[in-house]
Amino acid sequence: MTLRTSPQSQFNPGALCVLVADDHDYMRTIMIEVLRGAGVGRILSAGSGDEALELIERYEPDVLISDWAMDGMDGYELVRAIRASGRTNRDMPVIMMSGDTRRSQIDE
């Protein structure tokens, strides 16, 4: 008996739209350059949580990379707002960045 499986589709970063949200220009620039180097097709940039929400509504990115500690709406509040929304992409994957190493923040 031969077991046939369908070939796995290959990951294509060029098809991804990634939103980078960080209130520090330098960190956003670093993340954008890393994503470009990885071949990500479309990269959006937001300097605040509020701006990120606007971009999410307008462009529906596939992935969010967000800083935890931003002025105004922080990364945690941003993710809560996304998850509580009625948007079709409210379950999008989120990568949260932080320089804070406190266990309580990591658990949150």
Side-chain angles (χ1 to χ4, degrees), residues 1-97:
M1 172 190 259
T2 303
L3 181 62
R4 293 186 181 198
T5 59
S6 61
Q8 291 182 344
S9 61
Q10 291 188 337
F11 173 67
N12 178 11
L16 283 179
C17 177
V18 177
L19 170 59
V20 177
D22 196 311
D23 59 343
H24 294 285
D25 294 337
Y26 182 71
M27 288 306 298
R28 274 198 324 272
T29 301
I30 289 171
M31 288 307 306
I32 290 167
E33 289 305 314
V34 167
L35 293 168
R36 275 193 190 129
V40 172
R42 186 170 195 188
I43 304 166
L44 306 172
S45 173
S48 70
D50 291 321
E51 185 181 359
L53 282 176
E54 291 174 19
L55 291 173
I56 289 167
E57 187 170 320
R58 189 176 317 145
Y59 297 104
E60 296 188 356
D62 301 303
V63 178
L64 168 65
I65 300 175
S66 178
D67 184 26
W68 178 280
M70 292 188 285
D71 291 335
M73 179 186 295
D74 66 26
Y76 181 70
E77 293 167 331
L78 172 59
V79 172
R80 287 177 54 106
I82 293 166
R83 299 293 189 241
S85 75
R87 294 182 183 95
T88 58
N89 65 340
R90 69 175 184 249
D91 294 328
M92 82 170 91
V94 175
I95 299 170
M96 189 70 66
M97 300 183 301

